[in-house]
């Protein structure tokens, strides 16, 4: 199995892109986020909105961006269902 590529930001930080400029040129067209994660979708339930804010708070600033909205949305919906099921199980 192939090794995962090191993120471009990490290569910039450790000076690898200065040492090997071809790597920088090869990554010139990588997508770059154009904004922050933002607020939860309007159609979310109250518990899903709470989970969105909880997850956004747990992440380091700048890690979750607008490019992660679909993933965060899916996680919040699934986690809300999981927690609701756990509460029902405890009540029995």
């Amino acid at each position: 199995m192939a090794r995962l590529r090191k993120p471009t930001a990490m290569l910039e930080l450790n000076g690898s892109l200065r040492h090997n400029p071809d790597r920088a040129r090869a990554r010139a067209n990588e997508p770059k986020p154009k904004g922050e994660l933002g607020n939860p979708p309007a159609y979310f339930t109250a518990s899903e909105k709470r989970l969105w804010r909880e997850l956004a708070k747990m992440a380091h600033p700048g890690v979750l961006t607008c490019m992660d909205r679909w993933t965060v949305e899916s996680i919040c919906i699934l986690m809300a269902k999981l927690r609701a099921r756990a509460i029902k199980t405890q009540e029995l």
Side-chain angles (χ1 to χ4, degrees):
M1 189 164 118
R3 217 186 295 171
L4 294 175
R5 281 175 54 152
K6 192 178 258 191
T8 305
M10 292 293 291
L11 294 174
E12 288 174 359
L13 286 173
N14 69 18
S16 296
L17 294 182
R18 279 181 301 201
H19 176 68
N20 188 351
D22 289 337
R23 283 177 113 177
R25 280 191 286 278
R27 295 169 180 240
N29 293 326
E30 282 185 348
K32 293 178 179 61
K34 292 181 170 56
E36 297 178 2
L37 182 63
N39 294 323
Y43 57 84
F44 262 20
T45 64
S47 63
E48 292 167 347
K49 287 179 182 180
R50 233 181 353 266
L51 285 164
W52 179 283
R53 291 185 188 99
E54 181 182 336
L55 182 58
K57 232 189 248 187
M58 286 191 301
H60 288 284
V63 171
L64 294 175
T65 65
C66 60
M67 293 172 61
D68 301 307
R69 285 186 67 85
W70 284 11
T71 305
V72 174
E73 187 174 331
S74 300
I75 290 168
C76 291
I77 292 168
L78 291 171
M79 192 63 173
K81 288 180 181 180
L82 182 72
R83 286 184 180 178
R85 180 179 286 174
I87 291 171
K88 284 182 185 177
T89 304
Q90 288 177 351
E91 291 174 354
L92 296 177

